[in-house]
Amino acid sequence: MKNKKLIEINRLCKHFVLHQQDGLRLPVLHGVSLSAEAGECVAVTGGSGAGKSTLLKCLYANYRTQAGSARVRHLDVWIDMASAHAREVLAVRRYTIGYVSQFLRVIPRVAALDIVMAPMLAVGMEAQVSRRRAQVLLERLHIASRLWTLPPATFSGGEQQRINIARGFAASPPVMLLDEPTAALDDANRGAVIELIREARRRGAAVLGIFHDEAVRDAVATRHFELHPVAAHA
Amino acid sequence: MHAPLLEVQGLTHRYGTRAACNNISFSLYSGEVLAVVGESGSGKTTLLRCLSGQLRPDAGCVMFETRNAGAVDVWGMSEATRRMLARTDWGFVHQNPRDGLRLDVSAGANIGERLMAIGARHYGNIRGEARAWMSKVELDVQRMDESPAAFSGGMQQRVQIARNLVSRPRLVFMDEPTAGLDVSVQARLLDLLRGLACDLGLSAIIVTHDLAVARLLAHRTLVMHDGCVVEEGLTDQVLDDPQQAYTQLLVSSALPA
Amino acid sequence: MNENSRAGGYNFAYLDEHTKRMIRRAILKAIAIPGYQVPFGSREMPLPYGWGTGGIQVTAAVIGPADVLKVIDQGSDDTTNAVNIRRFFVRTTGVRVTGRASDATIIQTRHRIPETPLREGQIIVYQVPIPEMLRWLEPREAETRKMHALSEYGAMHVKLYEDIARYGHIATTYDYPVIVNEHYLMRPSPIPKFDNPKLHMNPALQLFGAGREKRIYAVPPYTAVRSLDFEDHPFEIQRWQHACELCGAADSFLDEVIIDNEGARMFVCSDSDYCTQRRDAHRRAVA
């Protein structure tokens, strides 16, 4: 399981063109190359505007890219998320990538427990097993059980973020993308998240994360990868 | 990899000299929900009508993967076959439920009609199915013998959805299914549709001007402007990283979704 | 034939020969396509719409000097509508008329089929108010024609479903939808569903005329006519606990009539000819 490469980003370029501002061109990533193996946790570092979140979003195919590749090993086949067909992207997201965004995009009327169960059901886990695992995750992240059956729209920011984390880890995907997972959390919950990341590494996941909190970063990262802002003329 | 359920090539429809749909091509695969977004007059509804056998396009073809005969051009088949498809393998949910319902017969009969149309002749079974669908779309089964004329807009829309889904269509067309509803009713209906799409593995094409609807329901999104598809891709891609000027304008004009 | 009783100044059977030929062509087409509604150039008749102008035109087109005509309205030969139409044909053709179903060669009817079984060679002409059974489902004529052409009749069961949902049984008692020759959906005119089985494999030629709606349709002799129903709610005809209080018939369609100011009621045969024949036969047997 070790030394098995799961992520391979090669000379990736990404810029935004703002058509409403006279076609202003904003370069964000320029020739970024990075790979990660099973069991690794790579902490993406760099100042504000260096493109850390953008890198994760490109790998998740949430953002499109202009050049280079962002490949993920999906069921032992390399898929380039930058050029894959929509259906392939969806399959990779379902089976291979767990993405914890900075904010939970709530779906009206869906209960917290169901949100956490959804990725497990999507990969064909039994409802009973999924429910049990979702409950365990919510307990570990200190979500009071009275909240489980409620839609998270009215939860606090920290509670919503913990639902988001539980969902990302639920189906134990081989590739994890974490965008500041501990930003809004207290010490106890930070500890729980650190433990979840370590478990993911132990089971052989490759983790790519953005961690502002140095203590968290030091506790989980196996190495750092620094991004530098791209000069506007690049 | 399976063949696409629907494959559209070079579809064009003109009203006079103006092309309401101009050379549109795309594929839809089984289990996919596709949103067609754009402002009023962009050609979304014309496209939907051309796809669903209601309006003959001036050019192009619409290939539908039939159960028995493989991919068949919707506009090349006999009208009898097309109409048969429309009431068995396809569903069409109108923006205004009054266009898709019989308001002078009960909710149960509205739901059961498609079953009778495809030959169901056992009253008890038809009623049982209608009752089951009433509860699937979260309607009070006690009210199945009431006319939908007495129902609220949201309830009528749910009857219309049940009426379409009862024949287990393989492809559902929806034209602004939530547009005429209050926000809270809209949210509930969207959630219902989302659940049904997941549970039934529904393939659907949803025309909407509401990007939040696309975000919630659709795997993929086509952006239409002036009769052309200006951008297409995964819904979150199109909404979070729009490439074209028009899409950027559309996304930045919308309230946060 | 009674040429003397024919009023002067009219062509035989009122309509001119060209019109009759046009109607006969429509009738022939209707016979060729059982249950299909053939449009025809319905004429203004010297009676208001709703009084059987369609039936009268059909009868006028097929009647000849040797025919014997019977006209019934709700089973009776003596109600206003029947008397008027019979007098109309006596004046314009001079043909012999009868009250006896078995003696007639042409029977024009409103709302009933005689209880006496019809035989080969007879023609029964139905007066039809609204010929299109699908109209309540679909207001567009072009669309209903398409539905007929493609036999898209499943939705017709919606009406029967509604009956059962509301009343626990199919409550439609007249103008009950039928499928003719396993193809066309047909409105049998407002006859009671009691009479529907008589439509099936009838030896007589059955013609239907709708004057206001300008449609003619037909059921040729010995043609299958099936009433719509559900497997678990099969088609049934009306039954009575009474027998006719005049002739004792237990197998005929009964009318409930109020016979005095106290509201006393009795059940009698709707078909007055049938009732009279039975009473005469009984009297003869006793004598």
Side-chain angles (χ1 to χ4, degrees):
Chain A
M1 203 61 184
K2 282 281 153 74
N3 302 328
K4 182 181 175 186
K5 209 185 272 180
L6 295 178
I7 298 171
E8 191 175 71
I9 299 170
N10 191 26
R11 306 176 71 82
L12 195 69
C13 295
K14 167 69 186 167
H15 63 251
F16 293 96
V17 176
L18 305 182
H19 291 284
Q20 290 184 84
Q21 292 170 43
D22 298 326
L24 177 68
R25 191 168 172 279
L26 289 179
V28 182
L29 302 175
H30 187 74
V32 173
S33 297
L34 161 71
S35 59
E37 293 172 358
E40 268 197 300
C41 175
V42 181
V44 182
T45 59
S48 181
K52 304 187 293 294
S53 287
T54 299
L55 181 66
L56 262 50
K57 286 178 178 178
C58 289
L59 192 56
Y60 194 62
N62 179 219
Y63 283 178
R64 300 188 221 210
T65 54
Q66 278 71 41
S69 61
R71 302 201 301 160
V72 172
R73 191 195 286 268
H74 167 64
L75 310 174
D76 269 331
V77 177
W78 284 102
I79 304 278
D80 177 14
M81 297 296 277
S83 62
H85 188 279
R87 278 170 304 131
E88 283 179 314
V89 170
L90 291 174
V92 173
R93 287 181 181 178
R94 181 181 303 153
Y95 292 101
T96 303
I97 302 183
Y99 174 50
V100 178
S101 57
Q102 272 175 288
F103 302 101
L104 175 70
R105 193 180 284 281
V106 293
I107 303 164
R109 291 213 311 158
V110 181
L113 191 67
D114 291 324
I115 290 178
V116 179
M117 283 172 67
M120 295 186 274
L121 297 176
V123 296
M125 282 172 67
E126 270 180 48
Q128 279 294 352
V129 179
S130 308
R131 182 179 307 278
R132 187 63 213 130
R133 173 155 169 79
Q135 288 167 344
V136 168
L137 280 167
L138 290 173
E139 269 167 15
R140 287 181 61 178
L141 289 160
H142 309 103
I143 300 288
S145 58
R146 64 186 161 76
L147 297 179
W148 292 359
T149 53
L150 300 178
T154 54
F155 292 8
S156 73
E159 284 164 340
Q160 290 194 6
Q161 181 60 354
R162 280 177 276 151
I163 303 295
N164 210 7
I165 292 165
R167 180 176 61 170
F169 282 87
S172 306
V175 172
M176 301 280 317
L177 308 177
L178 308 175
D179 194 347
E180 301 199 26
T182 56
L185 304 187
D186 59 23
D187 283 343
N189 285 310
R190 257 198 299 276
V193 174
I194 289 169
E195 196 43 47
L196 282 172
I197 296 171
R198 285 178 170 163
E199 281 174 21
R201 279 178 44 204
R202 278 199 292 275
R203 67 172 161 79
V207 182
L208 204 56
I210 302 165
F211 310 99
H212 268 200
D213 188 321
E214 267 179 55
V216 174
R217 194 192 304 160
D218 293 344
V220 298
T222 52
R223 64 187 165 100
H224 292 191
F225 178 82
E226 190 166 1
L227 280 171
H228 302 283
V230 182
H233 54 80
Chain B
M1 187 87 13
H2 294 289
L5 185 63
L6 192 78
E7 186 157 23
V8 182
Q9 283 166 358
L11 187 139
T12 298
H13 185 83
R14 293 188 191 85
Y15 294 113
T17 53
R18 200 178 63 82
C21 290
N22 195 358
N23 196 25
I24 290 170
S25 302
F26 68 91
S27 303
L28 179 84
Y29 287 83
S30 185
E32 265 189 322
V33 178
L34 176 77
V36 180
V37 302
E39 62 199 11
S40 310
S42 58
K44 315 184 290 283
T45 297
T46 299
L47 174 64
L48 201 66
R49 285 167 52 83
C50 287
L51 300 180
S52 58
Q54 298 175 57
L55 187 66
R56 184 179 285 275
D58 295 319
C61 67
V62 180
M63 305 296 288
F64 178 72
E65 182 73 15
T66 57
R67 277 178 214 254
N68 305 319
V72 178
D73 185 357
V74 166
W75 290 105
M77 61 179 68
S78 73
E79 186 173 19
T81 313
R82 192 161 51 240
R83 287 169 67 107
M84 173 63 100
L85 273 182
R87 61 176 190 271
T88 53
D89 263 1
W90 296 346
F92 196 101
V93 177
H94 296 263
Q95 173 173 2
N96 186 343
R98 283 162 191 274
D99 294 336
L101 289 177
R102 291 188 196 286
L103 292 178
D104 48 359
V105 301
S106 66
N110 265 286
I111 298 171
E113 177 171 339
R114 270 177 168 242
L115 297 175
M116 295 182 244
I118 56 180
R121 292 292 177 266
H122 190 284
Y123 172 83
N125 294 351
I126 294 165
R127 197 168 167 78
E129 275 279 288
R131 185 185 291 119
W133 274 99
M134 286 285 286
S135 60
K136 267 186 216 172
V137 297
E138 303 172 21
L139 287 167
D140 181 1
V141 294
Q142 301 299 318
R143 299 188 67 177
M144 73 182 291
D145 292 331
E146 291 176 32
S147 157
F151 290 4
S152 69
M155 290 167 70
Q156 287 179 352
Q157 200 57 296
R158 275 177 276 155
V159 176
Q160 199 195 178
I161 288 163
R163 172 180 162 87
N164 273 281
L165 295 186
V166 70
S167 68
R168 319 265 154 161
R170 291 160 66 223
L171 175 57
V172 182
F173 302 98
M174 301 192 196
D175 188 3
E176 303 271 11
T178 59
L181 305 173
D182 293 342
V183 178
S184 62
V185 179
Q186 221 177 52
R188 190 168 169 206
L189 190 76
L190 282 172
D191 178 52
L192 172 76
L193 283 172
R194 202 189 55 88
L196 289 171
C198 287
D199 296 348
L200 306 172
L202 222 56
S203 312
I205 298 180
I206 301 177
V207 157
T208 179
H209 66 273
D210 187 342
L211 300 181
V213 170
R215 166 93 68 184
L216 195 58
L217 296 179
H219 301 111
R220 284 196 298 136
T221 294
L222 297 185
V223 182
M224 281 191 76
H225 182 54
D226 270 348
C228 298
V229 172
V230 293
E231 186 160 356
E232 76 167 290
L234 286 166
T235 299
D236 63 280
Q237 234 173 33
V238 171
L239 298 184
D240 294 342
D241 186 16
Q243 305 291 306
Q244 301 301 317
Y246 176 72
T247 317
Q248 289 187 359
L249 176 70
L250 196 68
V251 169
S252 64
S253 311
L255 295 172
Chain C
M1 183 163 99
N2 187 355
E3 195 63 35
N4 298 332
S5 65
R6 213 181 119 190
Y10 289 111
N11 191 39
F12 181 80
Y14 184 77
L15 295 173
D16 65 84
E17 293 306 312
H18 293 289
T19 298
K20 284 197 272 185
R21 230 171 277 149
M22 175 271 292
I23 295 173
R24 283 179 206 134
R25 279 197 295 271
I27 291 171
L28 285 173
K29 181 170 179 180
I31 293 168
I33 317 170
Y36 174 73
Q37 298 167 44
V38 181
F40 79 110
S42 179
R43 297 294 192 252
E44 289 295 331
M45 298 301 285
L47 281 93
Y49 290 122
W51 282 69
T53 54
I56 292 169
Q57 290 179 81
V58 169
T59 299
V62 299
I63 199 166
D67 275 311
V68 180
L69 179 68
K70 170 180 167 70
V71 182
I72 47 175
D73 171 13
Q74 304 270 16
S76 164
D77 297 72
D78 302 323
T79 52
T80 317
N81 189 241
V83 169
N84 268 313
I85 293 170
R86 190 162 53 237
R87 192 186 294 150
F88 172 83
F89 279 111
V90 167
R91 285 218 186 138
T92 59
T93 66
V95 300
R96 206 149 59 77
V97 292
T98 180
R100 282 180 168 239
S102 48
D103 289 349
T105 55
I106 298 174
I107 301 169
Q108 178 166 335
T109 180
R110 174 175 177 265
H111 293 191
R112 278 309 310 277
I113 299 175
E115 306 288 1
T116 309
L118 303 178
R119 53 179 162 74
E120 284 181 17
Q122 285 184 309
I123 298 175
I124 179 165
V125 178
Y126 299 81
Q127 299 169 201
V128 179
I130 298 166
E132 183 49 76
M133 187 52 100
L134 296 170
R135 188 60 68 226
W136 78 279
L137 284 169
E138 174 53 63
R140 294 167 296 180
E141 174 71 12
E143 183 66 14
T144 52
R145 280 173 175 241
K146 204 165 274 176
M147 291 166 81
H148 281 297
L150 302 174
S151 289
E152 285 180 8
Y153 297 140
M156 233 3 259
H157 277 81
V158 169
K159 193 174 160 63
L160 305 182
Y161 171 100
E162 281 292 88
D163 268 5
I164 304 172
R166 201 165 296 166
Y167 308 107
H169 60 96
I170 298 175
T172 301
T173 52
Y174 64 92
D175 221 345
Y176 190 103
V178 295
I179 295 283
V180 179
N181 201 26
E182 288 304 320
H183 188 135
Y184 284 102
L185 177 74
M186 188 186 87
R187 198 161 188 157
S189 87
I191 58 169
K193 67 177 175 183
F194 179 88
D195 286 343
N196 271 24
K198 298 176 193 161
L199 295 163
H200 178 65
M201 290 295 165
N202 198 309
L205 170 61
Q206 307 179 69
L207 302 176
F208 299 78
R212 179 173 35 208
E213 302 289 327
K214 302 180 167 58
R215 292 289 184 276
I216 287 171
Y217 49 99
V219 176
Y222 301 110
T223 301
V225 177
R226 176 169 58 82
S227 302
L228 297 185
D229 61 359
F230 286 105
E231 288 157 16
D232 48 344
H233 287 268
F235 173 79
E236 280 174 353
I237 59 170
Q238 295 103 317
R239 308 232 172 254
W240 287 265
Q241 263 136 34
H242 316 76
C244 171
E245 288 176 40
L246 297 177
C247 74
D251 58 352
S252 70
F253 188 84
L254 299 181
D255 282 340
E256 184 181 13
V257 283
I258 297 170
I259 49 175
D260 61 26
N261 288 342
E262 271 65 59
R265 290 144 198 272
M266 69 187 288
F267 285 88
V268 296
C269 288
S270 138
D271 185 339
S272 52
D273 166 47
Y274 182 70
C275 197
T276 311
Q277 308 255 4
R278 281 177 53 89
R279 275 181 288 158
D280 288 351
H282 181 67
R283 227 173 283 135
R284 276 196 299 277
V286 170

